[in-house]
Amino acid sequence: ALSLLVGLMLGVLTALGLDLLDDSFKSPEDIEREFSMAVMGIIPKPRAGRLLENELSDPHSAIAEAYRSLRTGLQFATSEGLPRTMLITSSQPADGKSTTAHSLAVSLAHIGLNVLLIDADLRNASLHKRLRISNEVGLSSYLSGAKQPEDVVQASATEGLVLMTSGPLPPNPAELLTGARMPSLLTLAGESFDIVLIDSPPIMGLADAPLLSRLVQATVLVVAANETRRSTARIALKRLQMARANVIGALLNKFDAKETSYGYGYGYGDYEYHSYGETPKLPSGRR
């Protein structure tokens, strides 16, 4: 009995210790408290047994609905409405910024906007891999002076969405991005498109994202639930602020209400999206 009691106490202490050591973001309130920043959207994790690609391609899925909600939130993000040039970035790799940039671009195109999506990650480009399209020419080809803007864009399968891949990865990404051709590109794009979305590299350890954030009207910081450390995100946000970026809010990605201890349920404060047309199950006693 004594051994069992000691074992239980050690288990509880271990769990408390691990919880104290884990400084990742668990809920939207964690972001709001840490940075006094609005949470523009909450993207849930894919359902068990479902691939993210399948969820994104299903317009009735909870994830697709979450991106529509993000789109709506961005439309009220500024006094002028939806920012015409936006940077999607994150503090570290694998937080989901590229998926967010593409999914948001598709969602904006679905409401009739002409959208240009630029893959500005000239170190680890992913847009062409995700969409299985050519990357022989792209942003780097234009920035180096080898091509004109009209030579480095491609139509997409989504009406109204035009893509500009990274192009061949250059040895000097930061130098290309600091030249005069990047601001010129955004000016020209603003004349032909309603919205320009830029998928940038992660912030930590690289100069690219802060440089790009100075050229756009708004920046959105993607935070992965239970993965992004608060200390890392804090440093990343400070770097953006030093670059005088207009960070309009954060996006909590890969969120799973079941993994939190906050008891999110259907109703006020609910962050668990339901598929379109799905009837949510109410707790017993509620009608």
Side-chain angles (χ1 to χ4, degrees):
L2 182 60
S3 299
L4 179 61
L5 180 60
V6 171
L8 289 173
M9 292 178 61
L10 288 175
V12 171
L13 291 174
T14 301
L16 291 174
L18 291 174
D19 188 61
L20 290 174
L21 291 173
D22 183 7
D23 71 338
S24 62
F25 295 94
K26 302 293 190 302
S27 70
E29 287 80 3
D30 289 344
I31 298 175
E32 293 171 350
R33 282 193 297 264
E34 185 73 29
F35 301 127
S36 299
M37 178 190 299
V39 176
M40 307 303 300
I42 304 162
I43 309 300
K45 294 178 67 174
R47 289 172 289 177
R50 294 270 292 182
L51 296 175
L52 177 59
E53 291 76 11
N54 295 336
E55 295 280 58
L56 290 171
S57 62
D58 179 5
H60 302 301
S61 70
I63 292 181
E65 179 63 29
Y67 277 113
R68 289 192 288 268
S69 179
L70 169 64
R71 178 188 67 199
T72 301
L74 289 172
Q75 289 176 310
F76 297 96
T78 70
S79 57
E80 292 79 22
L82 186 68
R84 297 199 60 192
T85 55
M86 281 188 287
L87 183 76
I88 309 297
T89 189
S90 62
S91 59
Q92 59 192 15
D95 282 346
K97 61 175 182 57
S98 297
T99 299
T100 295
H102 177 242
S103 300
L104 178 59
V106 171
S107 184
L108 290 168
H110 282 166
I111 60 173
L113 296 176
N114 292 318
V115 183
L116 173 63
L117 174 59
I118 302 175
D119 188 348
D121 191 341
L122 301 182
R123 302 173 188 270
N124 186 25
S126 62
L127 180 63
H128 66 285
K129 299 176 184 177
R130 181 184 307 275
L131 301 180
R132 297 180 177 86
I133 58 178
S134 172
N135 194 35
E136 292 183 5
V137 296
L139 177 61
S140 64
S141 309
Y142 165 75
L143 294 179
S144 64
K147 298 288 183 179
Q148 295 301 312
E150 60 271 17
D151 301 324
V152 295
V153 293
Q154 304 180 52
S156 73
T158 303
E159 184 179 357
L161 174 59
V162 175
L163 309 171
M164 182 182 294
T165 62
S166 67
L169 301 186
N172 55 340
E175 286 79 1
L176 287 180
L177 294 173
T178 53
R181 293 181 71 87
M182 189 67 195
S184 176
L185 174 64
L186 294 179
T187 300
L188 290 172
E191 298 173 357
S192 303
F193 296 92
D194 300 313
I195 302 294
V196 179
L197 284 178
I198 301 178
D199 175 21
S200 87
I203 302 169
M204 298 301 294
L206 303 173
D208 305 23
L211 288 171
L212 289 167
S213 69
R214 301 176 61 178
L215 305 178
V216 297
Q217 294 181 358
T219 296
V220 175
L221 181 66
V222 178
V223 174
N226 299 301
E227 295 180 18
T228 304
R229 297 177 64 87
R230 301 189 190 201
S231 54
T232 303
R234 193 180 304 116
I235 297 172
L237 185 59
K238 185 176 181 179
R239 293 195 66 195
L240 290 175
Q241 292 171 340
M242 291 176 64
R244 298 183 179 179
N246 178 27
V247 184
I248 58 174
L251 172 74
L252 184 62
N253 195 30
K254 307 178 185 180
F255 177 71
D256 188 350
K258 296 177 182 178
E259 292 182 359
T260 70
S261 58
Y262 294 88
Y264 289 102
Y266 187 80
Y268 179 76
D270 176 33
Y271 294 105
E272 184 175 357
Y273 289 90
H274 296 278
S275 300
Y276 180 76
E278 175 185 343
T279 303
K281 296 180 181 179
L282 297 179
S284 59
R286 292 182 58 179
R287 301 182 183 274

